[in-house]
Amino acid sequence: MVNTFKKHINEQLPFLKNKKLILTISGGIDSVVLAYLCHDLKLNVALAHCNFNLRGEESDADEAFLVDIANNLDLELFIESFDTKQYAEDAKLSIQMAARELRYRWFEELVDLLHFDYVLTAHHADDNLETFLINLSRGTGIEGLTGIPEINDYIVRPLLPFSRNEIIDYAQANDIKWREDSSNSSTKYLRNKLRHDVIPVLKEINPQWLQNFKMTQEHLQDSKVLIDDYMTQVYKDVVVFEDDVIKFNVSKLLKYPNPKPYLYALLKSYKFTAWDDIYSLLTAQSGKQVFSATHRLLKNRDFLILSINDDQEEVLESHFEISEDLNPIKTTFGTLVFETVSELENAPNNTIFIDKDVLKFPLIIRKWEQGDYFFPLGMRGKKKLSKYFKDEKLSLLEKEQVWVVCSNNQIVWVINRRSDNRFKVTADTIQILKITCKSF
C-alpha cells in the first residue's frame, strides 16, 4: 500500500510535498495508518487529537496511546480537550454535530495560528459509500451523491481511493496497533448501522460493489460538471442582482422545459426545504413567500426576489428619536447626519433641505405604516404612501424597507425618496436644515 499511496500523492496530490501539514488523528485504524504512511513518505506532518471527553477512561486512554504514537514516529502532537456535552446543550446540537463543529473550528485555529498549509483527514472509500447511502436515504440532489471531496479548501483526504480492507491489511502486515472506539460498534447511529448491517450484505451480493460504486460516482461527478456548466448560462439568463437582493425572472424561467429542476439548481444553496411551495411561487400572486432558515423568497410581479431572512427579534429598535441637539444617529438602514446650512444646493435622493423652524422635536424615525400619507414636494395635495409606492412601482420587498422621518406625527421625509411639501424651504425660512442618510 505504501507504493500505491506514494503514487497517488505524486500523481493526484503533489502539492502536499514540502508543505506544512497537520493530520487529524483519533487513535482509530484509519488515522493511525495515515500517520504511518505520511511518515514513510517523509511528509512534513504534525498530529492533532481531539479529546471530546465522551467515553470517560477510554477517551483518556486514546490520548495516552497517541502520545506513544507521536513519540515512536517523532512527530509533534497537539491535543485539545472539549466539554462536548455542555457545548451540544448550549448550542442545541446533537453530540455528533457538536463534536464536528468543535473539531473543525479547532483545526481552523491551528491552521491560522501555526501557519499550517493543509489539514489531512483519514476518510476512505468505505466512508464515501456510507455518506452516499446516508444522503440517499434522506433525499438529496446530485451533490449529495457525488461523495466526499478529496480536496475541500484546506482539508485534504489522501486515503479516499483506498478501502477499509486495504487499510486493515496494511496495518496487520506492518504490526501497527490502533484503538477501537467502542461507540463504533453501536448500531443506534445510522452510519454504524449501514457499516455493520447493510454494506456487508451489499458486498456479499456483489464482491465488486465498492469498485463499481466508485465508477458510478465518477460518472455522477462528470454529470455534475456538465450540469454546472449549463446552469452557469441559465444563471446569466434569469438572474438580476439589485443591491442586497437577487431577482429571478419568472417569465424566462417558465420558458425552460420543466422549470422545477432549474429552480432547484438556482436555490439549492439557500437551505430551502419546502420545494413544492417554492415551485408554486412561479404561478402565485404577488406577496406569496417561502422561508428557509437563512433566506426569504418573495413573489413580486414578474420576479422571485431572494433576500436574507432577517430575524426581527434581532432588530434592537423599531423607531428612533432625534432630539433638538441633532447629533448624528445610527439606524438599522444607515446614519442620519444633520447640518445647518445657509443656502440650498443640488442634492441626491439621500439628502433633503427643510425649514428647521417648522419642525417639532423630538423627530421620530420609524417604518412606514398603512394609512400613512404625506404632501409630496412639488405636488399639490396629499397622497397615501401606499399609492405613492404603487406609482413608483416599488416591489413588496422595497416597500418593507421604507422608513420615514416624522415631526409631530407628520411625515417630513420618505427617506431616500421624497420630502414633504409642508417642510420645504421658502423665502421666509431663517434656518435651513440639511439631512443626509449615509449608508453603511
Side-chain angles (χ1 to χ4, degrees), residues 97-204:
M97 288 304 299
R100 177 184 171 81
E101 280 196 9
L102 290 169
R103 178 168 63 246
Y104 281 100
R105 185 182 300 170
W106 181 50
F107 296 158
E108 186 173 348
E109 290 173 359
L110 288 174
V111 168
D112 291 340
L113 292 175
L114 301 177
H115 307 294
F116 285 96
D117 297 299
Y118 296 98
V119 174
L120 308 184
T121 71
H123 294 91
H124 49 73
D126 288 79
D127 290 323
N128 215 356
L129 175 57
E130 291 164 9
T131 300
F132 175 93
L133 293 173
I134 288 171
N135 291 338
L136 185 65
S137 71
R138 291 172 176 170
T140 184
I142 193 170
E143 294 78 11
L145 303 178
T146 51
I148 304 171
E150 187 169 41
I151 305 168
N152 186 12
D153 196 12
Y154 61 87
I155 305 292
V156 182
R157 302 175 174 94
L159 286 182
L160 210 53
F162 300 91
S163 70
R164 179 175 284 114
N165 286 339
E166 289 177 290
I167 293 169
I168 293 173
D169 290 344
Y170 174 81
Q172 293 175 340
N174 291 274
D175 197 27
I176 294 173
K177 308 300 182 186
W178 67 89
R179 297 274 299 170
E180 289 289 353
D181 184 339
S182 60
S183 64
N184 287 338
S185 62
S186 171
T187 56
K188 71 177 182 179
Y189 300 116
L190 176 57
R191 183 176 292 275
N192 287 351
K193 191 167 186 63
L194 291 170
R195 180 178 302 168
H196 297 300
D197 297 342
V198 177
I199 293 176
V201 176
L202 296 176
K203 291 181 177 179
E204 181 181 347

Side-chain angles (χ1 to χ4, degrees), residues 167-341:
I167 293 169
I168 293 173
D169 290 344
Y170 174 81
Q172 293 175 340
N174 291 274
D175 197 27
I176 294 173
K177 308 300 182 186
W178 67 89
R179 297 274 299 170
E180 289 289 353
D181 184 339
S182 60
S183 64
N184 287 338
S185 62
S186 171
T187 56
K188 71 177 182 179
Y189 300 116
L190 176 57
R191 183 176 292 275
N192 287 351
K193 191 167 186 63
L194 291 170
R195 180 178 302 168
H196 297 300
D197 297 342
V198 177
I199 293 176
V201 176
L202 296 176
K203 291 181 177 179
E204 181 181 347
I205 293 171
N206 182 357
Q208 299 300 311
W209 182 279
L210 192 58
Q211 290 85 344
N212 292 343
F213 163 72
K214 290 165 66 175
M215 188 183 304
T216 297
Q217 276 205 325
E218 290 174 3
H219 293 324
L220 287 171
Q221 289 163 357
D222 290 341
S223 297
K224 185 178 182 298
V225 171
L226 292 175
I227 293 171
D228 289 345
D229 287 345
Y230 180 64
M231 285 307 302
T232 299
Q233 301 304 315
V234 175
Y235 201 88
K236 291 178 181 179
D237 182 37
V238 304
V239 176
V240 178
F241 290 93
E242 288 188 4
D243 298 325
D244 295 328
V245 302
I246 302 173
K247 300 171 69 173
F248 302 89
N249 189 305
V250 172
S251 61
K252 289 185 177 181
L253 270 170
L254 290 173
K255 288 181 180 179
Y256 287 93
N258 189 9
K260 288 184 178 181
Y262 295 93
L263 199 54
Y264 174 81
L266 292 166
L267 295 169
K268 64 190 177 185
S269 60
Y270 299 103
K271 300 185 178 179
F272 287 102
T273 57
W275 289 104
D276 287 341
D277 293 338
I278 287 177
Y279 302 145
S280 296
L281 288 181
L282 291 172
T283 54
Q285 294 180 344
S286 291
K288 296 291 185 181
Q289 52 192 347
V290 178
F291 293 89
S292 75
T294 57
H295 287 75
R296 175 177 67 165
L297 191 65
L298 170 71
K299 174 67 179 292
N300 184 72
R301 299 189 181 96
D302 298 327
F303 290 91
L304 300 182
I305 302 176
L306 181 72
S307 62
I308 294 176
N309 181 19
D310 294 324
D311 186 345
Q312 293 303 310
E313 293 180 356
E314 293 181 358
V315 178
L316 299 179
E317 295 185 73
S318 58
H319 77 280
F320 306 85
E321 290 191 4
I322 305 169
S323 60
E324 200 161 359
D325 57 17
L326 294 174
N327 290 322
I329 183 167
K330 187 175 182 180
T331 72
T332 55
F333 57 86
T335 300
L336 289 186
V337 179
F338 306 89
E339 181 184 2
T340 301
V341 297

Side-chain angles (χ1 to χ4, degrees), residues 1-5 29 32-41 65 69 72-73 165-178:
M1 184 175 176
V2 173
N3 291 333
T4 309
F5 183 76
I29 186 171
V32 170
V33 163
L34 181 57
Y36 275 90
L37 288 169
C38 291
H39 180 261
D40 286 346
L41 266 62
F65 171 75
I69 291 285
N72 291 338
L73 297 179
N165 286 339
E166 289 177 290
I167 293 169
I168 293 173
D169 290 344
Y170 174 81
Q172 293 175 340
N174 291 274
D175 197 27
I176 294 173
K177 308 300 182 186
W178 67 89

